[in-house]
Amino acid sequence: MTSLDTDLSPAEPPRLVVFWRRYRRNRAALLGLVIFVIVVLMALTAGLVDPGDPLRRAGDPLTPPFVDWATPLGTDQLGRDVLSGVFYGARISLLIGVVATLVAIAIGVVIGALAGYFGGWVDDVLMRVTEAFQTIPNFVLLLTLVAILGSKIEWITLAIGIVSWTAPARMVRAEFMSLRGREFVDAARNLGVSNTAIIFKEILPNALPPIVVYASVIMALSILLESALAFLALGDPNYASWGNMIGQGRAVLRSAPYCAVIPGIAIVLTVLSFSLLGEGLNDALNPRQKKQ
């Protein structure tokens, strides 16, 4: 082959382009991305679309939707604007989902990496701790932590992250156990690279794809857990969240079902978007798995 032929050979597309080509093949994943973008835009424009305080009275109590265009989705039993609550609730739900997911992934990565890399007694101890957490249902443990820490949104978010780290830890451990014997790890050891550098710079980047996919599951579960707490009147009343709206709307469920149905639909669509995003990420990051 001449040098001219080499110069004319097509260059490989960037990884981001390849990722997007794989992702867009899944139409359901594209739908999930569209819904997720809409929810993000709602969170970002909450103060622009409806600058009013979602916790303050905006009209007569229990005004039905599409009756007063000042409150197009109606008002609840206290006269608060449902539309404003939905937009501001998107901001709270995404904040809880993202922060709780980061907490869960951080704890899971550290514990799973140490257990999978070192093995032996380190693995035994860390996995016994993981199993101890898994013996208690997540929601029961969450109720306990909220009862101890309090119902502020910061503590609720931290508590959700604490009860969600076990599955990522097991996934990271499995990935590390399969990667710690590879040639590139042995080469790093022979060069005198420290264990910390090997764990976080050599092995962890290769173990991240399944964790990135599972992060979408944790975000969806985080939103559902916060909503369940708020439904039981254990949420933070100082913030407008979809769970708080549903919990307060159950008192007028028969006379004004929209107070609970509208935020409920928002939760369902948001959780669905995360599920579809996870499916698309799995197809894009693990194309071989789809073919098998």
Side-chain angles (χ1 to χ4, degrees):
M1 181 180 294
T2 64
S3 59
L4 180 61
D5 295 333
T6 303
D7 296 337
L8 295 178
S9 60
E12 293 186 2
R15 292 184 179 181
L16 186 60
V17 174
V18 175
F19 171 83
W20 173 245
R21 288 176 180 175
R22 293 173 180 171
Y23 184 90
R24 69 182 182 182
R25 293 172 187 169
N26 190 326
R27 294 184 179 180
L30 287 177
L31 175 61
L33 180 61
V34 170
I35 298 174
F36 175 71
V37 170
I38 292 174
V39 174
V40 171
L41 290 177
M42 289 171 58
L44 294 176
T45 60
L48 300 176
V49 174
D50 196 333
D53 187 346
L55 300 179
R56 291 184 178 180
R57 181 172 176 173
D60 296 331
L62 298 180
T63 301
F66 311 118
V67 172
D68 184 358
W69 289 109
T71 55
L73 293 183
T75 58
D76 61 7
Q77 63 269 37
L78 298 179
R80 296 173 297 191
D81 187 7
V82 175
L83 177 64
S84 180
V86 170
F87 270 72
Y88 279 91
R91 181 178 296 179
I92 297 300
S93 295
L94 288 179
L95 176 64
I96 291 174
V98 170
V99 176
T101 299
L102 291 176
V103 172
I105 294 297
I107 298 174
V109 164
V110 171
I111 292 181
L114 294 176
Y117 180 77
F118 291 105
W121 67 268
V122 176
D123 183 30
D124 291 338
V125 171
L126 294 178
M127 286 302 101
R128 296 300 82 77
V129 173
T130 304
E131 291 172 359
F133 270 83
Q134 289 183 315
T135 57
I136 306 174
N138 281 1
F139 193 63
V140 174
L141 181 57
L142 179 60
L143 289 175
T144 304
L145 291 175
V146 170
I148 296 173
L149 299 175
S151 296
K152 287 188 176 181
I153 190 171
E154 296 86 355
W155 296 121
I156 290 176
T157 305
L158 178 62
I160 292 174
I162 291 175
V163 304
S164 305
W165 64 267
T166 54
R170 286 191 171 277
M171 294 178 65
V172 173
R173 172 180 177 267
E175 291 293 325
F176 267 69
M177 292 183 71
S178 65
L179 293 172
R180 65 184 181 183
R182 298 287 182 88
E183 291 80 3
F184 69 91
V185 178
D186 292 335
R189 290 197 188 100
N190 294 332
L191 292 174
V193 179
S194 64
N195 289 328
T196 302
I198 293 176
I199 290 173
F200 291 103
K201 294 183 179 180
E202 301 294 335
I203 303 180
L204 184 59
N206 294 281
L208 279 181
I211 307 304
V212 173
V213 174
Y214 192 75
S216 62
V217 177
I218 300 179
M219 290 188 69
L221 291 176
S222 299
I223 294 174
L224 290 175
L225 288 173
E226 187 277 332
S227 300
L229 285 176
F231 184 79
L232 297 175
L234 295 175
D236 192 337
N238 298 315
Y239 292 90
S241 72
W242 293 335
N244 281 332
M245 295 176 68
I246 294 176
Q248 294 164 2
R250 65 178 178 176
V252 292
L253 193 58
R254 293 185 178 180
S255 59
Y258 64 89
C259 293
V261 170
I262 292 176
I265 292 174
I267 292 175
V268 169
L269 291 177
T270 303
V271 171
L272 176 63
S273 72
F274 287 134
S275 177
L276 297 178
L277 280 173
E279 180 182 341
L281 289 173
N282 186 53
D283 293 343
L285 296 175
N286 303 302
R288 296 180 180 178
Q289 183 178 354
K290 186 177 179 181
K291 295 178 181 179
Q292 292 177 351

